[in-house]
Amino acid sequence: MQRPRIRSPVSAMSESGMSRIDDEALEWVARQAAGEPGEGERAAFDAWYAAAPRHQGAYLRAKALQYSLDQMAIQESLRPGLRAAPAPADELEPAPLPHGRGRRALLGWGALAAGLAAVAFTGLMPAAVERTVLTTAKGEFRKVTLADRSVVSLNGDSRVEVALTKSERRIYLERGEAWFEVAKDKRKPFIVAAGDARARAVGTAFAVRRREHGADVLVTEGVVEVWSDKGSAQKQQIAAGARALVPDQAAQIAVTRDPGEVARRLAWRDGRLVFNNENLADAVDDFNRYNRRQLVIVDPALRRKTLVGNYRIDQPEHFADDLHALWKVPVAVTADSIRIGAAPGAKRGARGG
């Protein structure tokens, strides 16, 4: 005789009263709890989240339920795991989770969780911090919609940590560069921290690039307030088309207004690198952020030479070929490097496609 299936109150609520969208949101939360998703799964989630406001609301409710359950004082032997087998990195659509795992792991808390679920699904968010880590590999770009509907566009080889609370939205730029399209919410300031540098905005768009001893802030829309957390420099407000260089422990913050320069520095969003009297050392650093084959300046005398040009970020060979033609410098190409100013007689790199 087949054993009757026993359903918890929360499971029953899910199957009869919860929408398909709520089910999908719970599955996404379970997958994310299992660990760092692959690139394909991240893309699938981003597309699902951006598809409709109902998806975004359901996701927030699912996160609230997960947090509430995680914070309960329950004997560890009785606590079900929140781990589900992650989908393959190249899978663009989420595969159904095994029965009894994933969403059921979140829902299988019985009557004790039922009360919490009722509260969570009214849309009430917990007061604690919700943290999300976003990363990109060398040459990878990523655009992510946050829970507050702000959008983060990450440049290659970048890492940010997002911390959302009831009172503020704080982003920690640990490395690289990101452009932020900030959703308006005057009650919750949007603050980006990059080393000692700080940038604060409400309903605007701006980019922050982490430097070795500070950060660049470039504003494309609205007004942003910048300062150094450990410096003596006065806070400054910069408007669209302006750039601020905020050193660590800054005594002074340099601000310049040049919309064309701001657009040039943000050309990476279109897959381009645009140089306007840029020195070779900085240009090489920019190319090396995107390509496995690294440019190497062998002759130190070339580092401060300036250049003008417009290149695709994946064309370091074109760039080196132009340097050879312009400055008559030797260029040597190996499997993993392009050496500029190499010994005479070395093989010159061919143009890349």
Side-chain angles (χ1 to χ4, degrees):
M1 182 178 65
Q2 183 178 9
R3 178 178 296 181
R5 179 180 166 201
I6 301 174
R7 299 190 302 174
S8 72
V10 185
S11 297
M13 177 184 69
S14 171
E15 294 175 5
S16 60
M18 290 174 59
S19 70
R20 174 182 57 82
I21 292 175
D22 285 325
D23 285 347
E24 292 172 354
L26 287 166
E27 289 185 2
W28 279 120
V29 169
R31 287 181 178 278
Q32 292 166 353
E36 182 70 18
E39 180 179 350
E41 189 167 1
R42 287 199 303 263
F45 170 75
D46 291 345
W48 177 87
Y49 184 86
R54 289 184 63 194
H55 291 191
Q56 297 156 15
Y59 179 73
L60 294 180
R61 293 193 295 272
K63 291 290 287 185
L65 176 59
Q66 178 199 31
Y67 174 84
S68 299
L69 296 178
D70 281 347
Q71 296 304 306
M72 294 178 61
I74 295 180
Q75 182 179 336
E76 285 300 319
S77 62
L78 301 179
R79 181 185 293 273
L82 289 178
R83 304 191 65 84
D90 59 351
E91 185 175 303
L92 294 181
E93 295 295 334
L97 294 176
H99 187 72
R101 300 183 67 185
R103 177 170 60 87
R104 293 304 180 95
L106 282 174
L107 299 178
W109 287 71
L112 186 59
L116 288 173
V119 174
F121 283 105
T122 63
L124 297 178
M125 290 297 294
V129 178
E130 178 183 339
R131 294 184 180 271
T132 303
V133 175
L134 306 174
T135 62
T136 53
K138 190 183 293 290
E140 177 189 9
F141 300 101
R142 187 177 175 192
K143 188 173 183 177
V144 179
T145 301
L146 304 181
D148 71 332
R149 299 190 182 181
S150 295
V151 177
V152 180
S153 297
L154 267 70
N155 202 346
D157 194 21
S158 299
R159 177 184 173 91
V160 300
E161 180 177 325
V162 180
L164 304 180
T165 72
K166 291 179 62 177
S167 60
E168 71 173 12
R169 299 165 290 175
R170 187 171 289 264
I171 312 293
Y172 300 92
L173 179 60
E174 298 179 10
R175 71 171 185 270
E177 182 175 14
W179 181 56
F180 305 95
E181 299 171 272
V182 183
K184 293 184 178 180
D185 189 343
K186 294 183 178 180
R187 300 169 303 170
K188 298 180 182 180
F190 191 100
I191 301 172
V192 177
D196 294 342
R198 300 290 185 271
R200 179 183 185 273
V202 176
T204 187
F206 65 103
V208 180
R209 180 172 179 177
R210 185 78 181 266
R211 299 286 188 179
E212 185 177 358
H213 300 295
D216 284 346
V217 181
L218 301 97
V219 183
T220 56
E221 179 184 328
V223 177
V224 175
E225 186 177 51
V226 297
W227 71 97
S228 174
D229 194 44
K230 296 181 180 178
S232 59
Q234 295 292 317
K235 292 183 178 180
Q236 296 199 42
Q237 289 191 343
I238 58 175
R243 172 196 177 202
L245 176 59
V246 187
D248 289 339
Q249 302 181 6
Q252 184 176 0
I253 297 174
V255 178
T256 57
R257 176 169 174 75
D258 187 343
E261 179 67 6
V262 169
R264 183 187 74 78
R265 290 179 176 271
L266 294 178
W268 58 266
R269 295 175 299 170
D270 299 318
R272 310 292 303 183
L273 287 174
V274 181
F275 305 122
N276 183 19
N277 291 322
E278 199 86 359
N279 67 59
L280 179 61
D282 288 342
V284 164
D285 286 344
D286 283 339
F287 264 110
N288 285 345
R289 299 175 67 192
Y290 305 107
N291 297 282
R292 294 186 180 278
R293 179 179 284 173
Q294 298 282 282
L295 292 163
V296 179
I297 304 174
V298 178
D299 183 355
L302 298 175
R303 296 182 62 83
R304 294 190 177 276
K305 291 181 71 71
T306 59
L307 55 99
V308 175
N310 186 330
Y311 298 90
R312 276 178 29 193
I313 62 174
D314 60 349
Q315 291 184 328
E317 293 88 353
H318 274 195
F319 176 70
D321 203 37
D322 284 355
L323 295 181
H324 173 86
L326 177 65
W327 295 338
K328 309 303 180 186
V329 296
V331 172
V333 179
T334 68
D336 57 3
S337 70
I338 303 173
R339 301 173 66 80
I340 303 169
K347 179 182 177 182
R348 184 166 67 90
R351 285 186 178 272

